[in-house]
Amino acid sequence: MASVTRETERKYEAPDAPEDAEGPDAAAPGALLDALARAEGVARVTGRGVEELDAVYYDTDDGRLAATRTTLRRRTGGHDAGWHLKLPVPTDGDARDELHAPLADTLPADLARLLRSRTRDAPLGPVLRLRTTRRRHTLHGADGTLLAEAATDTVRAERLDGAPGGLAGATTAWREIEIELAESAPASLLDRIEERLTAAGIHRSRDRSKFARALTDTGPPPETWPAPEPAPAPGTAGAELLAHLARWHRALVALDTDVRRDLPDSVHQLRVATRRLRSAFKSYRKVLDRAVTDPVGEELKWLAGELAPARDNEVLTARLAHLLDTTDPTLVLGPAQARLRLRSTARAAEARDRVRAALDSPRHLALLTALAHLATDPPLRPAAHRPAREVLPTALARDHRRLATRLDAALALPPGPGRDHALHQARKAAKRARYAAEAARPALGKPARRYRKHVKAVQQLLGVHQDSVVARQALRQLAVEAHGAGESAFTWGLLYGTEQARAEAAERDLPEAWRAVRDEGPPKPGG
């Protein structure tokens, strides 16, 4: 299995070295070393010699990795020879996750699986060869702690393919400086180092990576996100909706990889991405042709369903564990924690296998392909070319009426399973209305933001209620199992009562929250 490191770095244009410079610091002139040594917190800069690196970078013929800021290379030389996969970290522009696999002639299978959502099984081939002479320095604190590494690189790049837009055999060369934080160093150190570098006339590079720069210098690289042709004009309903869909499509592609890596909360976030895309198709069916989007929406529903057991088990386990942890220990009778762990572990393993099978399936690959086609060739309807401030509020009003119909009907029912089910259906309508408002917020501004805020409050109360319904079902089953094993079922009954009280409290607060939504109302056309 590949090892993973979090790489946090910045790149700078390297100043020219004096013509008579020799030795290991030839490409790291005094201005650089002096700037590094003067950065606050840096006590010592130590030379680490020279490395010769030779890397071949891989991509699909149409640049699918480059389009998602993903880098795959096979590198020889240096202290970390092998296959390297670099993935962007959405929350930190200076960071990437770098996965290392041992040097081999072919791409290791575990890295290939992580790339599936990006490549969609298109073959990978060599795109660029980068040969780098690297001069390394390490930065240390007063106590000798490693803070960062500075690398001054002389890079020679050769294009190995002729696509997309490149010329096989084209070459380019440049020099640059990389400053990479040590794992334990504070992120603020990069800012302090940059202040010193800027003062010394050393400025940030125009490109995030060597791969991106080499692609640009040897031929136009793929766009960060493919734009439809012809693209709807700015300010139209189509432009706003496509921007929203592009955001969540990118998220779905990235989260597919995160789930395969078992990253925390990744299953939940992937499920959210599928729901937001499907919700947008439904809410804005006057903008995109339903004949095209409805089948894709059904496949998104399927994927969300395959993710559901894993996510539901996470939520339920956390909820019941919290209940046990916050209950008076004298009232926790029998091996309650052990029984909950046993239940959770068994379901987690089964759910995890189901998720992996879904992501590896031909059906999921077909969904990814369909979403990619929608991004580049969206089925726009005439309303897509009208002003967003006229079209989007109409969709919000329709979702608002749907929510009102469901919630009013649910609140009129007597307590019991029928009311619980109706409130759950109202929760789905509230979520759709909230998602529609979020999609419209860039175009509609404050009215959409206020409406979303009020709808979210209703959705959260309905969520508390539904989570309680699910928790009580599980608590009853745990009580039955405990009783059957000769254990006390007292604790599970106690927690059942706690959950019932929580649901009743949410129901009491619901009418007031719903009145706030009614008073606010969805944004008006042209408002």
Side-chain angles (χ1 to χ4, degrees):
M1 184 63 183
S3 61
V4 185
T5 58
R6 175 64 56 89
E7 172 190 83
T8 304
E9 68 176 19
R10 293 180 187 175
K11 295 181 182 294
Y12 300 86
E13 301 291 340
D16 293 331
E19 292 183 2
D20 58 352
E22 297 180 357
D25 292 339
L32 169 62
L33 299 180
D34 182 63
L36 295 175
R38 288 176 176 271
E40 181 183 349
V42 177
R44 176 168 52 88
V45 179
T46 302
R48 297 298 181 186
V50 180
E51 295 178 338
E52 295 294 337
L53 311 175
D54 192 343
V56 174
Y57 288 74
Y58 291 77
D59 206 340
T60 63
D61 285 346
D62 52 358
R64 296 177 186 182
L65 297 189
T68 55
R69 292 181 52 217
T70 303
T71 302
L72 174 67
R73 70 187 178 205
R74 182 184 183 274
R75 189 163 78 182
T76 58
H79 63 284
D80 61 349
W83 286 91
H84 301 170
L85 171 61
K86 295 190 177 186
L87 302 168
V89 177
T91 56
D92 186 344
D94 293 324
R96 290 192 293 177
D97 280 346
E98 183 170 342
L99 289 81
H100 295 246
L103 194 63
D105 292 338
T106 57
L107 177 64
D110 54 343
L111 293 188
R113 281 192 294 271
L114 294 180
L115 288 169
R116 193 173 190 237
S117 66
R118 291 162 164 81
T119 65
R120 304 191 300 280
D121 280 358
L124 290 162
V127 175
L128 288 164
R129 183 184 183 187
L130 268 64
R131 285 168 288 182
T132 303
T133 300
R134 168 165 292 178
R135 289 168 169 83
R136 299 171 55 225
H137 291 78
T138 51
L139 284 58
H140 302 266
D143 60 355
T145 301
L146 176 64
L147 299 176
E149 178 175 309
T152 308
D153 293 341
T154 301
V155 185
R156 302 170 301 284
E158 178 186 2
R159 191 71 172 249
L160 301 179
D161 73 326
L167 178 64
T171 61
T172 186
W174 71 92
R175 298 172 67 250
E176 70 178 30
I177 297 165
E178 286 185 4
I179 308 294
E180 182 176 347
L181 280 185
E183 186 174 344
S184 59
S188 59
L189 178 62
L190 277 181
D191 293 331
R192 299 199 297 269
I193 291 174
E194 184 161 310
E195 287 179 5
R196 291 297 181 180
L197 294 179
T198 302
I202 300 172
H203 301 288
R204 190 86 74 93
S205 173
R206 70 176 194 234
D207 295 294
R208 293 177 178 270
S209 69
K210 290 181 176 63
F211 181 53
R213 178 164 184 166
L215 283 178
T216 300
D217 288 353
T218 58
E223 296 296 329
T224 300
W225 187 254
E229 293 291 345
T236 61
E240 295 295 333
L241 180 57
L242 292 181
H244 178 76
L245 293 176
R247 173 191 172 190
W248 288 104
H249 183 185
R250 287 193 296 268
L252 185 146
V253 168
L255 287 162
D256 176 294
T257 302
D258 290 352
V259 170
R260 294 175 188 273
R261 294 173 60 196
D262 288 327
L263 295 187
D265 202 40
S266 57
V267 171
H268 170 53
Q269 294 302 327
L270 179 56
R271 195 179 180 198
V272 168
T274 65
R275 285 176 165 176
R276 287 181 182 270
L277 287 167
R278 181 168 178 258
S279 180
F281 292 157
K282 287 183 171 294
S283 293
Y284 296 107
R285 55 185 183 269
K286 298 296 185 181
V287 179
L288 296 178
D289 186 355
R290 291 185 62 183
V292 177
T293 60
D294 277 359
V296 180
E298 286 303 306
E299 293 306 286
L300 288 167
K301 181 180 180 180
W302 161 79
L303 178 57
E306 297 302 295
L307 299 170
R311 175 55 183 168
D312 292 348
N313 186 61
E314 289 176 353
V315 171
L316 182 60
T317 299
R319 189 179 184 99
L320 299 186
H322 177 72
L323 282 173
L324 282 173
D325 290 343
T326 54
T327 297
D328 184 342
T330 64
L331 300 179
V332 179
L333 306 183
Q337 287 89 350
R339 179 162 293 282
L340 178 59
R341 282 196 301 271
L342 183 65
R343 179 189 189 280
S344 173
T345 302
R347 283 165 171 75
E350 182 180 343
R352 187 165 53 248
D353 289 344
R354 181 173 174 177
V355 168
R356 289 174 177 170
L359 296 186
D360 287 337
S361 69
R363 187 171 182 177
H364 181 54
L365 182 61
L367 170 59
L368 292 170
T369 301
L371 288 170
H373 288 166
L374 275 175
T376 55
D377 188 21
L380 300 175
R381 299 187 66 191
H385 303 285
R386 292 170 49 201
R389 299 181 70 85
E390 295 179 6
V391 175
L392 303 188
T394 302
L396 289 178
R398 184 169 54 249
D399 283 348
H400 177 81
R401 290 192 298 270
R402 179 171 176 266
L403 169 59
T405 298
R406 290 193 180 187
L407 189 51
D408 287 343
L411 292 175
L413 293 174
R419 180 182 172 99
D420 291 343
H421 176 74
L423 288 172
H424 182 45
Q425 296 303 113
R427 179 195 182 195
K428 294 178 181 179
K431 189 173 293 187
R432 179 162 147 184
R434 172 193 163 193
Y435 288 167
E438 289 176 353
R441 181 177 169 182
L444 304 184
K446 288 183 178 180
R449 184 180 65 196
R450 290 194 303 266
Y451 179 70
R452 171 204 169 274
K453 176 183 176 182
H454 291 302
V455 172
K456 183 179 179 181
V458 168
Q459 178 200 326
Q460 288 176 332
L461 288 171
L462 290 168
V464 169
H465 182 273
Q466 176 61 19
D467 288 348
S468 176
V469 170
V470 174
R472 279 178 280 157
Q473 292 170 348
L475 287 166
R476 184 184 183 282
Q477 183 60 36
L478 284 163
V480 170
E481 293 171 0
H483 179 75
E487 302 164 7
S488 171
F490 171 82
T491 301
W492 305 118
L494 178 67
L495 300 187
Y496 188 103
T498 300
E499 279 294 345
Q500 187 165 11
R502 183 178 294 181
E504 291 169 354
E507 287 195 53
R508 286 195 299 272
D509 293 340
L510 189 55
E512 182 178 351
W514 176 227
R515 277 195 296 273
V517 174
R518 285 189 177 280
D519 291 346
E520 178 66 38
K524 304 294 189 294

